[in-house]
Amino acid sequence: MREYSLLEREYFICFREYSLLEREYFISFREYSLLEREYFISFREYSLLEREYFISFREYSLLEREYFISFREYSLLEREYFICFREYSLLEREYLPPPFK
């Protein structure tokens, strides 16, 4: 009987240790799950930031393109102005009296 009691006691000690280990495992698993959730939230935030960056970069590229188109238009207008100025100078030269000698 005494041996049975010792075995029973040992069994309960082992069962208690097992229960503590199981509890520790579930706590660790919960911590892991929380970390994993935090990782996915961080990854989602990163993805949103990356998307925002690419949208901003696209907007910048469109603005840069618009700037170059505007600069090209300005250059064409400037060229047109110089052509007009040259024509005006030629006409002015044609209609001005000759210089005094």
Side-chain angles (χ1 to χ4, degrees):
M1 185 71 166
R2 184 172 175 196
E3 195 176 299
Y4 174 76
S5 295
L6 288 174
L7 282 173
E8 194 174 57
R9 186 167 181 248
E10 192 176 321
Y11 168 78
F12 280 111
I13 290 171
C14 288
F15 183 76
R16 187 166 178 242
E17 287 175 351
Y18 172 78
S19 298
L20 289 172
L21 284 171
E22 194 174 53
R23 184 170 181 254
E24 192 178 314
Y25 167 77
F26 280 111
I27 290 171
S28 297
F29 184 77
R30 186 166 178 246
E31 288 172 349
Y32 171 78
S33 298
L34 290 173
L35 284 171
E36 194 174 51
R37 185 171 180 256
E38 191 177 317
Y39 167 77
F40 281 110
I41 290 171
S42 297
F43 184 77
R44 186 167 177 244
E45 289 171 347
Y46 171 77
S47 298
L48 291 173
L49 283 171
E50 195 174 51
R51 185 171 179 253
E52 191 177 317
Y53 166 77
F54 281 109
I55 290 171
S56 297
F57 185 77
R58 187 169 176 241
E59 289 172 347
Y60 171 78
S61 298
L62 290 173
L63 283 171
E64 196 174 49
R65 185 172 179 251
E66 192 177 318
Y67 166 77
F68 281 110
I69 290 171
S70 298
F71 184 76
R72 186 169 176 239
E73 289 171 348
Y74 171 78
S75 298
L76 290 172
L77 284 171
E78 196 174 49
R79 185 170 179 251
E80 192 177 322
Y81 166 77
F82 281 110
I83 290 171
C84 290
F85 184 76
R86 186 168 175 238
E87 288 173 354
Y88 172 78
S89 296
L90 290 173
L91 283 171
E92 192 177 51
R93 196 184 207 186
E94 191 177 313
Y95 288 105
L96 278 179
F100 297 109
K101 287 190 178 183

